[in-house]
Amino acid sequence: MMEPGLNHILVISAALFFIGVFGFFTRRNLVTMLMSIELVLNSVNLNFIAFNKYVWPNKMDGLFFAIFVIAIAAAEAAVAIAIIINLYRSHHSIDVENAEEMKF
Amino acid sequence: MNLPVLILLPLLTAVVILLMRNATQVKWAALAGAAAQFVLAFALLFAFRSERAAGNEAQMLFELQYNWFPAWHISFHLGVDGISVAMILLTSFVVIAGVLVSWNVEKMTKEFYFLLILLSLGAYGFFMSLDLFILFFFLEIAVIPKYLLIGIWGSGKKEYAANKLALMLMGGSALVLVGLLGTYFGSPTKTFDLMTLSQLNIPASVQHICFPLLFVGFGVFTALFPFHTWVPDGHSSAPTAGSMFLAGISMKLGGYGCLRVATYIMPDGAKEYANIIIVLSAIAILYGAFATMMQKDLKYINAYSSVSHCGFVLLGIGMLTKTAMTGAVMQMVSHGLMTALFFAVIGMIYERTHTRQVNEMGGLLKVMPFITTVLFIVGLCSLGLPGLSGFVAEMTIFMGSWQNTDAFHRIATIAACMSIVVTAVYILRAVGQTAMGPLKAGYENLTDATWNEKAAAIILIAGIVAIGIAPFWLNDLVSPATEIIMKKLAAVTAGM
Amino acid sequence: MLAALTLVSGVLAVTTRQIFRAAIFLLFSLIGIAGLYFWMQYDFIAAVQIVVYVGGITVLIIFSIFLTQQAGELLPKQKIGRQIFSALAVFCGFALTMLQLFQHSFKPTTGQPVLPIVANIGDRMLGVAEDGFALPFEVVSMLLLAALIGCIVIALRSKPATS
Amino acid sequence: MNDFLQMPLLQILPAGKGSALALLLIPLLPFAGFLLLGIFGRKHIKSASGIIATTLLLVSAALSLYTAYGYFFDYGKVNGVYQKFIAVQYTWLQFSPGLSIDLGILLDPISVMMLVVVTFISLMVHIYSLGYMKGEERFATYYAFLGLFTFSMLGLIMASNLFQMYIFWELVGVSSFLLIGYYYNKPSAVAACKKAFIVTRFADLGFLIGILILSFHAETLDFNTLIERLTIDGNHELHTAYSSMFLGASALTWGAILIFIGGAGKSAMFPLHIWLPDAMEGPTPVSALIHAATMVVAGVYLVARMFPVFSMSAGAMHLVTLVGIFSALFAAIIACTQTDIKRVLAYSTMSQIGFMMFALGVSGSNLVEGSLDYTNLGAGYTASMFHLFTHAIFKALLFLGAGSVIHFIHSNDMKDMGGLRKYLPITHIAFLVACLAISGVPPFAGFFSKEEILLAAWQHNKMVYYVALFTSGLTAFYMFRLYFNIFWNKGAIVHGEHHGEGGFVMMLPLVLLAVGAATAGFIPFGNFITADGKPLEIEFHWQFSIAPVAVGLTGIFTAMWLYKSENNKPAAIASSWGGLYKAAYHKFYIDEVYLFITKKVLFNLVGRPAAWFDKNVVNGLVNMTGNTTLTISDKIKGFQSGKVQQYAIYFLAGVIGLAVLFIYIWK
Amino acid sequence: MLNEFLILMKSELVLCCIIFLLLFIKVGTDMTNERMLPLVQVLLLVNVVASFIFNQEGTLFGGLFTTNLLMAFQKSILSIGIYLISLLFADWLKKSEHMPEFFMLMLSAVLGMFFMISSGSLLMFFLALELSTIPVAAMANFDLEKKLSSEAAMKMILSSAFSSGILLFGISLIYGATGTINFAEIPALLDGSPLQILAFVFLFTAFAFKLSIVPFHLWTADVYEGSPVAVTSFLSVISKGSIAFILLTTLYKVFAPMQEIWYNMVMLLSVITMIFGNLFALRQQNIKRFLAFSSIAQVGFILVGLSSNSSQGTASVVYFILIYIFSNLAAFGVAGAISQQTGKERIDDLKGLYQTNPFISWVLALALFSLAGIPPTAGFFGKLFLITAGASKGNYFFITVAALNLIVSLYYYLRIIRAVFMDKNDQPIEKIILLPSVKLGMLICGAGIILTGLLSWVYDYITSLTM
């Protein structure tokens, strides 16, 4: 195996990104959908770090971006979970297909 | 003469109407406003004439310009020439008659009069605008009041009709909008100003795209075949004053637009498409007339006949001769007065008999001589009796049309002439069945016109007769203005 | 190796039908990523990753799973049509992205690298000058405050839902 | 820029002679009557309305007599030629430089002659109606309409401008419509007035297009200028009018023919005659005025007015001749079979107008196209005008007489009449005079005028002459059939009370007209009215008169033999003629043909499809646009499924789609 | 330095102060909603006034924060919007258990928008975007007892998280391709390579998501329907306005080198958006849902103006959003007042409204006419200027589609007008009692709808800012 470089990391992150997206599309449980989102965000972080490391090491923009994304992810997850819990209280379920009252 | 007064006055009237407490006050306020408009319109006429007599040969008189949206080169530019004055006069006639005829409206009186006055505001503004943007602005102002008038106070399939009318008219104005924008960006100088545009030579390629857009767009208002279907439904469902305004003023907006905007600033386009216009309008004239023949509802009769009569307006424009164009303007004025009167009479009859089907009526001359006499007069005007306005206008158009020597124009003219026979057939049929014959049972105790109805009818008849007996003043008013348009057209021919 | 760990557990996290296991796989995947950071010598970010994700978010998720779900219960299966479509869309997206990434030649900068050590990060984090990130920091703090308020309001509603 | 109220051009020609104001008053007085009675008559001056209108017309008639006297005997003739004077002129509507409708008064022999005829007959009818229409509910309206009609007719005959003529032409049409429909609650009257209006309107279409053609080539609408431009050889206007061809005929011919169609419509020439018999639904004095003496001859007058132009086109002249002679014969045949006395008179009118028409036609028919030489013209023009003049008098008399009869017996049908000579002595005498006049028995008026017409026909076209001769025999026959049926035949069947012949007001016109019918023939018409204004010596060939008089007398005696007393000979003859009789009785089914054309063809094949097309296709398209939009809106609702995951899939699909689009396709 | 800091970040600081003040009040006192609401309204009014004065141009934090007069005006527009929201939904707010929190969240979101407008780098932009999204998702859930409300919040937070993911991926690619996240530096480094296009598409879809451009709009209707009216109106007006503002900056400045591409993309999406928005709006029964789709169609129009890539385009977009705030808030205000007092949200329920409630009927009519672009309301001018700006590229097909869409939109606006004014109803909505502040809000909206158009200096002022 070659020395892993930028491209390998990019492949990993892109794969992870789309794994997350796939999860978001197919999981019916709201919490697992949230987990898929976390995967997506992580893949992006990986991208940032990789670019920072291999392409633009002169500044730390990517690094900081990653840090802030982590913070945002935390906040988002918190609010999302709060909402999910609230939804569970009113719907007694966290299956996404049970919350489809509004359509068309 | 300060032109904005004609816009401010309706505005003021509308505000006053909104402040009034009860229906009676509203009515009198509206009447006072309409009367003031009437007086102002005449003042405008006399001021205009005295200016002209004093040797003021400027194309537009009483011009006023105020930079409105300088970023888009939009200015609040008002001014009048003979055509505008004629149309303003027409509007004031129809407005006062409309206000008088609606005296018995009991449902939401305040709103009713408010909308009527608002409509008149749009019409005045439209006829005075020398800037395409504000022209469009006023054009659209006049649409929604119609929608509400029909939808709220109408009868029959009123919602359908109101919707259709509003959508088709808006469709027309959408086309106008695209045409305007094309003109704006296509002309050498970016401007909405009509006077500036008329001085420019807009590239022929632009004209060929924008002229049909503008013409068809305005044409929808004037019942250009095949965009006329809002006319029958709209007119027949509207309340009396609504129909009067619709046919008397609103349809004229389109004709005026076709002439002042489309033809005037785009002579190339006009030449290019004149034949199509002629074909469509000749179809409208004959087809409208034949379709009228089959109608049984009085309002439908007048609505379809409006299609036919407005075809004359477009025919006159499409013929591209000065006489025909003057005739087209005269026809606008004449048809405006006539059709308003016709609808007023139909309204009066309907209020009494509660039917508009001609075959359910008969012998009404016996019980309501005044109303039926008016019906006779308006019918005769419609079929072009000399001494009434319709004749003058139609003959001027025929005369002007005949000046084109080729067979195509000749045939179109003859086709248009043929409509006067068909018109006679349907008018006599309608009038004959309504007014003449034995009196139908149940109508013995109907009453004749009340004072307000009489006043409305007399005002409109006065207008019709004034044109019919003394057409020269209208001709003198209009033909210098059409001559300018013709000069522009002739210049293009010379340049080609 | 780390990559394999990350990807496989990622795939498992989104496909397993046991929710608790999904959470655990997610955890592994996140740790894998942290490993990658370590491997790229971005220690600080790796630490943050472990602290925030592993220590925070995953725990939060597990708690919420406990709150809302009987552990061990199988997740309902998604419709097969949806799965195929999703897979197709995702694959297209992945292919496209990869294609573009590989077609693009990244030209690394020649500038002097800044070492991602904690001191540097700290400097920048609170700097207000050219390379400072004080303002984003403030913004994030506002965001966290707002999120906090939102969570409190939503999650701690006084009356239970009436069924 | 014209001034707002420009002063009318008052031309008093020659200096000091005649007054333009007086001329203006002639038409305006009846018009004033119309306005006055029309607006106030209903309530305020109902009872006095008849007197007011009659007085106004009396003044008007006096003024026309005064004018006629002045014109014919004083200032009209200059150097032996009657001049054309334009007494008043006012630009009413300027179409373009050169083309304008000028309202004016043109004085020339025929207009002055018509002035007298119209005012005189109208006055008679006004006076007669004072008695005839007494007690009618819409008495004032009736007089208002009469005033309007007289005004329009006067405007028509004095027109100085082709378009002015058209204007008054239309006004005449509408006043005729109003008068026919006077009994508005009678469905038959309503139908008749509509029919009259529409048929003449149809003819007017021809007139209008003719005007358009001629005015386009002549570049003027003024009669005098127009005639001048289109008749002088070498004029470029004439040249272009000749040289622009359409369907094998020159523009001039087309113009003339189309104008003649207009005239034919008003004058009830075949095949546009169908309105005239029905028009008898109007009050009888109205029939006398409009449908006998004045309006129906407007077509003849029009052709006479445009005579020089017509003369330039042999084709047009042939058509005029043909239509005239055919109508004369055709109407005469029908008149022999009708039983409604007013219808008989109506067909007789049509027949007589046919005479006038072909008289005009023959007099110009053998001209060489392209040159107009007045000396070459026959006496037909004068003859036609003369017959117009005499016919107006005796036909008005016939109608008024018939009116008295109808007034007395309350029926139009011959079957209800007979032996009335005892009850209606004055009417009887007057009617007899008129019948003799129309039959061409010397020395009554009709003899002279008809004689001249036959002479003209003899000179120009023998075929026409023979037909005309036969027709004049028929004329005598049907007139006396009428006469005998009314006044002799059966014994009188008068039920109970009757109110005699009507008062003095009804008798006076009869007497005056009878005198006129007896003596008008002695007026030396050729001295006054000729095609070129120069006096024309009409030689009286007594040898030539033998044939017509003989034929006329044959007709009279045949009628006497058949109808003098009640017998079954007429029925026998009717049955022996079978088909022809039946066809003639049904007016040769022309009405039915028209009905077929209008009802079946126009209504069903044009009107109904047009209405259908409008309702379904045009309107349908509009509605379809709306409905399609709504349908599409309904079809795509699945897009918004409420499933958040599906939304996300669409989202990703959108992203990929856009990316692919912009990276690979749309660069 | 401090002075500059205070002045340039004035709007943001004022908002922060209000937020903390509310926080202290909430924590430290037990003021009732009744007393607190007027206070908040006054504070927001102060905010509006403050946003108009002492505006300067400048940058702070090494380019992360930039501001100029136009941005200041954009912030003023948003400030007006939230002030109106605080007036119009007073009834709902008073009854809401968590009113202070509502305001805190809303103001945080607005703060995020302010930062977003002023952002000078992708990082700031992203953070501000999240700041303006996450609190709103929480707000969407404020009708805590309602199932629909939590469903809406769920849909919103998940969708927006998903879109954030896409956005971040795009940002990371841009970062990878250019090496910078500073707006000032990006344009010079863009060369339109496929990867950059891909990145741009990813980035753009995040805007598209927030602006509800088809096909990224699907969350909109559901969220609008389920959320409390106040939140819906905030989402549809303030949130969209702010995104449109930042989109102006992004497209015109940051992605200027890729003009060709984004012009085509904007045009395409605009056409699709107008058509879909209109087609869906045609068939809606719920007022809020209806307004959601109508606002989607409006966004299509905003894109028309946006596509012009000129200062006039900027001016017309900003102007339109000002008008749009008045119009849409008036419509939502009426819908809110009705649903608050009667619980009715269907268009059919509006039948005969004019009989009982003429005032709000007129307000609604005015708002709808303005949305439909009927003169003399300001909407007419707004739409016309957008279309005119869009036409400056000479793309008539595009303009014709826009003009035709005006007709379709008129149809459904008229549907409501018809229900309100024309249709008969045996049991129309009873007389609705409006709180004075609601009435005031409606009057302000009404005045705004009429005057913003007729007084041309508003537009002139905006134009002068964009020069």
Side-chain angles (χ1 to χ4, degrees), chain B residues 66-74 107-108 111 114-115 133 136-141 143-144 147-152 158-160 162-163 166-168 170-172 174-175 177-178 181-186 192 206 209-210 213, chain E residues 312-313 316 319 354-355 358 362 369 373-377 380-381 384-394 396 399-400 403-404 406-408 410-411 414-415 417-418 421-424 452-457 459-460 463 467:
Chain B
Y66 157 74
N67 262 354
W68 203 18
F69 287 95
W72 294 113
H73 313 286
I74 292 165
K107 184 180 166 193
M108 298 197 249
E111 289 82 355
F114 175 73
L115 291 174
F133 183 88
F136 184 70
F137 174 75
F138 284 118
L139 179 72
E140 291 222 328
I141 281 194
V143 173
I144 289 303
Y147 173 79
L148 292 173
L149 280 175
I150 295 177
I152 300 177
K158 57 181 184 176
E159 276 106 2
Y160 168 75
N163 247 331
L167 293 178
M168 286 192 73
M170 274 299 171
L175 292 181
L177 174 61
V178 178
L181 294 180
T183 318
Y184 179 77
F185 288 107
F192 279 114
V206 174
I209 297 170
C210 293
L213 288 170
Chain E
Q312 282 173 335
S316 51
Y319 181 60
Y354 186 70
Q355 304 301 328
W362 280 120
F369 285 147
I374 304 287
T377 58
F380 170 78
F381 296 94
L384 215 61
F385 294 156
L386 283 179
I387 292 182
T388 313
S392 61
K393 293 259 174 182
Y396 292 117
I399 299 310
T400 312
L404 290 178
L406 273 179
I407 309 169
V408 183
L410 181 66
Y411 173 78
L414 287 183
R415 219 180 101 209
I417 298 286
R418 183 165 118 185
F421 286 91
M422 301 174 193
D423 287 341
K424 291 194 176 54
T452 320
L454 293 176
L455 300 177
S456 63
W457 53 260
Y459 186 76
D460 289 345
T463 314
M467 287 302 172

Side-chain angles (χ1 to χ4, degrees), chain A residues 41-71, chain C residues 37 40 42 44-46 48-49 109 114-116 121 124-125 131-133, chain E residues 64 121-124 126-127 168 171-182 185:
Chain A
L41 295 179
N42 268 289
S43 83
V44 173
N45 277 351
L46 201 52
N47 252 356
F48 275 117
I49 298 295
F51 282 129
N52 200 345
K53 161 93 183 165
Y54 292 106
V55 193
W56 312 104
N58 57 336
K59 286 201 282 180
M60 295 202 292
D61 290 348
L63 175 72
F64 276 99
F65 221 117
I67 293 172
F68 286 118
V69 169
I70 292 172
Chain C
Y37 293 155
M40 286 189 280
Y42 276 64
F44 177 75
I45 193 84
V48 171
Q49 168 87 358
T109 178
V114 180
L115 290 179
I121 295 172
R124 295 290 165 80
M125 182 65 92
D131 288 333
F133 290 87
Chain E
L64 287 183
S121 85
L122 286 169
L123 175 62
M124 272 304 293
F126 170 71
L127 293 178
L168 279 172
I171 292 178
S172 77
L173 289 182
I174 291 208
Y175 171 65
T178 64
T180 181
I181 51 173
N182 270 359
E185 296 167 16

Side-chain angles (χ1 to χ4, degrees), chain E residues 258-296:
Chain E
M258 297 169 77
Q259 210 228 97
E260 298 274 310
I261 287 164
W262 68 249
Y263 173 71
N264 286 335
M265 186 143 65
V266 164
M267 191 187 75
L268 178 76
L269 291 177
S270 155
V271 169
I272 299 177
T273 304
M274 281 187 287
I275 292 175
F276 269 73
N278 280 333
L279 286 179
F280 274 105
L282 280 178
R283 53 188 310 285
Q284 297 308 321
Q285 266 303 325
N286 182 291
I287 299 171
K288 278 150 77 184
R289 208 171 166 78
F290 162 81
L291 284 169
F293 282 110
S294 98
S295 76
I296 289 172

Side-chain angles (χ1 to χ4, degrees), chain B residues 253-276:
Chain B
L253 300 180
Y256 180 85
C258 284
L259 186 63
R260 173 52 52 79
V261 180
T263 313
Y264 184 35
I265 63 174
M266 304 211 168
D268 258 338
K271 282 187 182 302
E272 181 80 13
Y273 294 98
N275 286 357
I276 297 173

Side-chain angles (χ1 to χ4, degrees), chain B residues 327-387:
Chain B
V329 177
M330 286 177 158
Q331 172 76 353
M332 281 198 260
V333 178
S334 149
H335 177 252
L337 294 170
M338 175 185 94
T339 198
L341 182 56
F342 206 151
F343 277 122
V345 174
I346 294 170
M348 294 175 203
I349 293 176
Y350 179 69
E351 233 171 65
R352 290 166 174 77
T353 61
H354 301 292
T355 178
R356 290 196 307 249
Q357 302 296 319
V358 282
N359 45 15
E360 289 171 18
M361 295 183 230
L364 294 180
L365 185 56
K366 192 167 185 66
V367 283
M368 31 179 137
F370 182 86
I371 294 176
T372 42
T373 306
V374 176
L375 184 65
F376 267 112
I377 292 174
V378 75
L380 293 175
C381 181
S382 177
L383 55 76
L385 185 78

Side-chain angles (χ1 to χ4, degrees), chain D residues 563-579:
Chain D
Y563 299 107
K564 174 87 186 297
S565 56
E566 205 170 7
N567 56 39
N568 57 2
K569 279 172 269 175
I573 290 175
S575 58
S576 72
W577 284 72

Side-chain angles (χ1 to χ4, degrees), chain E residues 71-215:
Chain E
M71 289 175 178
F73 186 71
Q74 293 171 345
K75 290 172 189 169
S76 309
I77 293 178
L78 302 183
S79 304
I80 295 171
I82 49 173
Y83 175 60
L84 285 174
I85 288 179
S86 77
L87 289 179
L88 285 170
F89 304 102
D91 207 7
W92 179 80
L93 288 168
K94 271 187 188 165
K95 289 176 188 151
S96 167
E97 206 179 326
H98 303 287
M99 193 197 79
E101 289 90 340
F102 176 85
F103 277 111
M104 279 184 257
L105 289 181
M106 183 169 86
L107 293 176
S108 319
V110 175
L111 184 66
M113 290 165 193
F114 282 10
F115 276 121
M116 187 160 65
I117 290 169
S118 287
S119 63
S121 85
L122 286 169
L123 175 62
M124 272 304 293
F125 163 68
F126 170 71
L127 293 178
L129 185 72
E130 292 299 320
L131 177 55
S132 68
T133 310
I134 294 173
V136 181
M139 281 155 66
N141 208 352
F142 258 51
D143 274 344
L144 291 169
E145 276 76 40
K146 288 192 182 151
K147 281 170 89 175
L148 291 185
S149 181
S150 44
E151 184 184 331
M154 178 273 286
K155 281 180 174 170
M156 173 149 185
I157 190 81
L158 286 181
S159 302
S160 73
F162 182 75
S163 116
S164 308
I166 302 264
L167 167 70
L168 279 172
F169 197 73
I171 292 178
S172 77
L173 289 182
I174 291 208
Y175 171 65
T178 64
T180 181
I181 51 173
N182 270 359
F183 283 171
E185 296 167 16
I186 290 175
L189 297 164
L190 284 178
D191 52 12
S193 69
L195 184 70
Q196 287 176 357
I197 296 176
L198 185 73
F200 172 70
V201 171
F202 275 59
L203 187 73
F204 185 80
T205 49
F207 290 106
F209 168 81
K210 294 287 285 179
L211 264 181
S212 332
I213 293 170
V214 177

